[in-house]
Amino acid sequence: MKIALVGATGTIGQRILEEALSRGHQVTAIVRDPARVTKQNENLKAVAGDVFNADSLAAAAAGHDIVISAYGPAHGQEEKLAQAAQALVDAAKKAGVSRLLSVGGAGSLEVAPGVQLVDTPEFPAEWKGIALAHRDALEVYRRSELDWTNLSPAALIQPGEKTGQYRTEENRLVTDAEGNSRISAEDYAVAMLDEAERPRFSRKRFTVGY
């Protein structure tokens, strides 16, 4: 496929980029500064694009089969996430790209019927802003007419081992037998590319964990 990847230089974006290239896809990394994309690969090119400007994004995404967004706002600017989501939706329409995948958050996943992780007493206060921002962005996708998918990570996601193994749920936090919820950024990227290649969650949010 021809993949337009937004946020390719971030922790998760780098793993998505690596996974996509390892599968032979052609990737256009849409970034503020193309010079920051230092990886050399015949199937990779970097172009400038503004995640908040639909026209800029559309120009970069035109001619691609799918847009994947790994954009994450800077700390203290969480409210920009929904703004970026709307620009991505508008850009995909302008560019004629019907499929949009995006990195979501774990906070809006349910830990019990009707109870979201972000609303539990033990949820860390310092993560509440980004969790609520991801919830708002998810609503932007749900209101769109695109073939969108939003992939929420487990409660803990960090660089680690690529095993190729994961379990999925739609709206409920995935936990292991000990109650832990975790996924490596590498296996998260595997799940993202699996969904890109073989869609199972069209117009849905889903999550992954071990």
Side-chain angles (χ1 to χ4, degrees), residues 20-199:
L21 292 174
S22 75
R23 299 183 186 209
H25 298 298
Q26 297 179 43
V27 182
T28 298
I30 304 175
V31 291
R32 282 179 298 178
D33 180 8
R36 290 186 61 200
V37 181
T38 57
K39 185 175 181 61
Q40 299 296 314
N41 187 291
E42 63 181 5
N43 285 328
L44 171 65
K45 67 176 180 178
V47 300
D50 181 352
V51 73
F52 304 112
N53 186 303
D55 290 333
S56 170
L57 289 175
H64 290 76
D65 301 308
I66 189 170
V67 173
I68 300 178
S69 174
Y71 166 73
H75 184 68
Q77 299 180 356
E78 290 85 359
E79 76 284 350
K80 290 188 174 182
L81 191 60
Q83 181 184 343
Q86 188 62 60
L88 285 160
V89 167
D90 294 342
K93 289 181 183 178
K94 289 175 182 286
V97 181
S98 63
R99 185 119 170 86
L100 171 63
L101 271 61
S102 60
V103 172
S108 58
L109 293 166
E110 291 190 346
V111 293
V115 179
Q116 295 183 357
L117 180 63
V118 69
D119 295 323
T120 59
E122 60 271 23
F123 191 84
E126 63 269 27
W127 294 107
K128 197 151 191 173
I130 189 62
L132 295 175
H134 273 297
R135 187 163 71 182
D136 291 342
L138 178 57
E139 289 307 310
V140 172
Y141 298 125
R142 283 174 169 161
R143 291 194 301 266
S144 79
E145 299 171 358
L146 292 176
D147 181 7
W148 62 271
T149 301
N150 187 256
L151 175 51
S152 290
L156 177 63
I157 179 171
Q158 56 188 10
E161 182 184 0
K162 176 182 171 180
T163 70
Q165 303 296 315
Y166 58 86
R167 294 183 295 129
T168 64
E169 290 277 359
E170 287 194 13
N171 291 302
R172 186 173 176 85
L173 188 73
V174 176
T175 57
D176 61 19
E178 286 75 44
N180 299 309
S181 178
R182 60 186 183 86
I183 191 76
S184 71
E186 287 75 8
D187 281 336
Y188 178 93
V190 170
M192 182 71 83
L193 267 296
D194 284 351
E195 176 64 20
E197 294 176 349
R198 298 180 298 279

